Amino acid sequence: MGDWEIRPASPADVEAVAELRAVVLRDDLERLGRYDPRRVRQRLRDGFDAAHTWVIEVGGAFAGCVALRPAADAHWLEHFYLAPDAQGAGIGSGVLRELLGRCDRDGVRVRLNVLRGSAAQRLYERHGFTVETADPVDVFMVRTPST
């Protein structure tokens, strides 16, 4: 599954991304006692900004998304979801390397939050993120630019 690319998102992508979010986060949210099928989709709709979002395509088909939202002291990596059949093939690492490379060139710190206990935390740690704080639901991580 090395045949992936990212393209700028458009407002028309929001429903596909909302559905993917509901699928990808369901197990972790259920484990944390926080899964609500309506709310998981609506939170994505409320926070979706096509201007800072990319759609991940594998073989030309929708397979995920990722956002990199500028903020005062860092960029926030958000809405990073890959379809279950695209996971474990190095696509997430490839996408992350590409986006983090851009941030490194610009000297920009990157922040994110991940659900406590999520396997995604290991992916982020492999790419230089460290835990900054945590609460009962979320783990907040940060990565300083590589030099």
Side-chain angles (χ1 to χ4, degrees), residues 39-59:
R39 187 167 191 265
V40 72
R41 290 169 176 86
Q42 192 59 47
R43 284 194 64 178
L44 182 283
R45 292 179 192 116
D46 292 345
F48 186 80
D49 181 357
H52 300 294
T53 304
W54 292 270
V55 168
I56 302 163
E57 295 181 339
V58 175

Side-chain angles (χ1 to χ4, degrees), residues 48-111:
F48 186 80
D49 181 357
H52 300 294
T53 304
W54 292 270
V55 168
I56 302 163
E57 295 181 339
V58 175
F62 175 83
C65 71
V66 62
L68 196 59
R69 179 180 52 84
D73 71 334
H75 284 0
W76 278 87
L77 184 74
E78 300 173 320
H79 309 305
F80 192 9
Y81 311 119
L82 267 180
D85 63 344
Q87 294 175 12
I91 296 166
S93 288
V95 169
L96 201 50
R97 269 192 305 277
E98 183 172 322
L99 293 179
L100 293 176
R102 294 176 189 183
C103 292
D104 288 347
R105 284 189 295 281
D106 294 339
V108 176
R109 176 183 302 140
V110 180
R111 296 182 182 283

Side-chain angles (χ1 to χ4, degrees), residues 35-36 43 54 59 84 88 112 132 135 138 143:
Y35 184 75
D36 175 320
R43 284 194 64 178
W54 292 270
L112 62 81
E132 197 168 37
D135 64 31
D138 291 302
R143 179 185 180 274

